[in-house]
Structure formats: C-alpha cells, structure tokens
Amino acid sequence: MSDPLAFLDDELRALRESGVYRWPRELAGEQAPVCVYDGRRVINLCANNYLGLANDPTLKAAARDAIDAYGVGSGAVRTIAGNMAIHDELERRLAVFKRTEAALLYQSGFTANAGTVSAILGKGDVVVSDALNHASIIDGCRLSGADRKIFPHKDVAAARRCLEEARGARRVLLITDGVFSMDGDVAPLPELCALAREFGAIMMVDDAHASGVMGAGGRGTVEHFGMHDQVDIQVGTLSKAWACLGGYVAGRRPLIEFLMQRARPLLFSTSHPPSVAATAIAALDLIERDPGLIDRLWDNTRLFKAGLARLGFDTGASETPITPIMIGGEAEAMRFSDRLFEEGVFALGIAYPTVPRGKARVRTIVSAGHTPQDLTRALAICGAVGREMGVVR
Ligand SMILES: Cc1ncc(COP(=O)(O)O)c(C=O)c1O
C-alpha cells in the first residue's frame, strides 16, 4: 500500500537542501538569562522574557497556590463551563493596566490577533496592513475573507493610498504592530491614528512586544504616543514580558462583549489553566509595583546596543530591546548564529520567509535579568565571531 504522506519526505528533503530545515534547540532547566541549550551553557539572547520573570519566585508561588486552590484545568471552553473567577479578575486588571473599559483574555497573542480580526471583519470589508505585521494578523485577515491592502513597512503615504482605495467598503480596519518583532522598530502610530480618524477606519495595534516594555509603566506604544482615545483595539500578550502564556484584547466594552459572542478561539478552544491566569496577575502586580524592572531592561538595552555599534555592527532600524545584527546572506546569518552558539551566545539566525530575501540577520533580545557582565561577555563573543567571519573589521 502506498503511503499517502510520502510527499512529506520530498518536502523535508527540499527544506534540508535549501538550508532552511530547523529543529529547535532543547532547553534544560529554567528559561534564564544564562542557561543550558543542547547541553551547552550559553548567554541567552533569544527569549522574549523581557523582564526576566520566567522563573521569578513570586510568580512560581502564585501558580502553585492557584493549583492548590482551583486545580490544574478549567475543564471547558470559556463560553461553556470554563469561565473561572480568576479569568475575570485578570481581565479586570488588564483593562485597568491598559486604561480601557474592558479586556478579553485569549489563549495566546496569536489567537487574540487572528480571532479578533476574523470576528470583526467579513467579505466586503477591507483591511489595511503593514507589510511586516505579525503572522497572526495575516492569518486573521485571511480567515476574515476581507480584501487585503498591504502597505510597505511604515509607509504612511502608501497607507493613505490604500485607505483611499478602500472608500465605500462596509468596514475598514487599519492594523499595525506597535513594535515589529524582527526589526525592533516602532510603528508611526500618531500618523496612522490620524489617517484612521480621517477615513473612519477601525484602528488596531498589536502591542505584543511593547507591553511591559514601552510607554509609562510598560503600557505599550499606545501609551508611549498618548493615543488612548484614537486606538479602538489593543492586543497584548502574556507570553513575553509577562513570561507565561496568553493574549488579550483591550478596548471598549461593546467590543469585548461582541468578541465573547463571536471570536472563534473563545467559542471553540478551552480557557487557561487557573495557574496561568494567577501567574499573569502576579506578573502584573510586579510590573505595577516595581518600575525598576523596566528601567533595568532599558539600561541593558542601551548597554548592548552601544556595544554593538562600537564593534561596527549594522543593527538596522531597531529602537527597542529587539536588536537584529544585519548580515544579509541566509547561509552567512545561520553560520554566524552557529558560531556564536559554539562560543557561548545563543542568538537565532532569521532568514526568508520570516524576513525578506537578502535581509537575513541574527536577532538578539536582552532582558532585565542579564547582568552587565553577561552582556559585556556576549559583546566580546559577537565581536570575535564578527571579525572571524568578516562581518565587522
Ligand atoms: C508581534 C507579535 N504579535 C503576536 C505574537 C503572538 O503572541 P503569542 O506568542 O502570545 O501567541 C507574537 C509572538 O510570537 C508577536 O511577535
């Protein structure tokens, strides 16, 4: 009998031959600024654990206490029987944090974007989207059936042309990442919000990489630019600065009520284990109580960026803790990442299709948990490998 999945062997061979086949490195022990991947102790410049909270003792205790009090699972989809008091409490806290009327928890940032866009738009609607928006936004747009108009990255004039073309559509959504995940640059939010207003479009911002990182108290790019009254839908994630898992939408109450009725991840996928919601609340407590956490993240970011600049690396347009080391060629970027790993630094090589061809890079992220010594050592290794490979002189 022939194997109906035999085509997978051909697909995998093609991936291996083109050099883009990947299998993730294995982490032993805790997610930490210095930790052990594939048996090697490395300075970890890969994780989105911005504030170093992934193994914070108070967060661990909150998770344990919630297991003791509420068990390990919610038992059902939120809209059936899986809506626990701790989910509601987390949403109330997130709404206050984001200065919105209400918030809605999703299982991940991915489902928050995909579930929200596909719930509010349908055939005959138009979505106007930055070319470098996250995959979950792209999938949400596809699922919605709306027409897509993609404007070149951060090109406000092109966004305007897309909105002009969309005139007459039933609904128009203008959507952007707040901080772009592969480049670490920031959306031109004031200009985009002004366009949304002018054209009567819904304005949506994915602040996955800005929540806990940018804006007063870590409230994100919407707070950073003072755009609260001009952004209709804010998305955040609990899997990056919050160091656990989940996503959320923050906005006006009718939006949240509508999404509870119509967003498919809410209707068809089980809600968070209570321990995860408790962890997120504990993280929010820490973030609200200790502004020094975010200060440490930015001190480390400045130290590391200045070091890379002194060494002569091209870090693109980054303005945030996500700092790409631009390499260009795909094989070279992968080789650079591998050599860093051999020398004790874990920083991932990123190539097409995640970034455009010719723009392969090694992506670094520092955290509040790195010590200045960790970063000085990481810089020394980056410099040595960069010179060895001819990336810098
Ligand atoms: C910009 C952006 N939005 C959304 C997500 C998805 O978030 P999560 O990992 O919580 O699903 C990510 C992360 O991968 C991201 O980088």
Side-chain angles (χ1 to χ4, degrees), residues 118-138:
S118 57
I120 59 171
L121 297 184
K123 282 206 166 51
D125 298 332
V126 177
V127 56
V128 176
S129 177
D130 187 289
L132 296 191
N133 277 345
H134 190 256
S136 52
I137 293 177
I138 297 169

Side-chain angles (χ1 to χ4, degrees), residues 72-154:
V72 294
S74 72
V77 166
R78 189 88 183 274
T79 49
I80 298 178
N83 185 38
M84 300 176 102
I86 200 158
H87 298 136
D88 289 339
E89 183 189 343
L90 175 56
E91 286 175 343
R92 281 194 297 274
R93 292 286 307 276
L94 288 168
V96 172
F97 177 70
K98 286 283 177 175
R99 304 190 201 281
T100 56
E101 280 177 18
L104 184 68
L105 196 56
Y106 283 76
Q107 296 85 350
S108 67
F110 197 105
T111 56
N113 274 326
T116 301
V117 173
S118 57
I120 59 171
L121 297 184
K123 282 206 166 51
D125 298 332
V126 177
V127 56
V128 176
S129 177
D130 187 289
L132 296 191
N133 277 345
H134 190 256
S136 52
I137 293 177
I138 297 169
D139 284 10
C141 297
R142 288 178 181 156
L143 281 170
S144 73
D147 287 339
R148 282 171 278 151
K149 295 188 183 294
I150 313 299
F151 59 90
H153 183 46
K154 292 178 61 166

Side-chain angles (χ1 to χ4, degrees), residues 48 50 106-113 132-137 176-182 206-210 235-240 244-248 322 363:
N48 299 313
Y50 284 105
Y106 283 76
Q107 296 85 350
S108 67
F110 197 105
T111 56
N113 274 326
L132 296 191
N133 277 345
H134 190 256
S136 52
I137 293 177
T176 184
D177 283 5
V179 170
F180 290 87
S181 56
M182 293 299 137
D206 172 9
D207 254 348
H209 284 279
V235 165
T237 174
L238 304 171
S239 60
K240 303 189 193 302
C244 46
L245 186 71
Y248 58 94
I322 299 171
R363 176 178 181 260

Side-chain angles (χ1 to χ4, degrees), residues 326-330 332-333 356-361:
M326 306 304 285
I327 305 288
E330 293 171 4
E332 290 90 333
R357 283 209 192 280
K359 296 210 167 168
R361 66 202 62 183

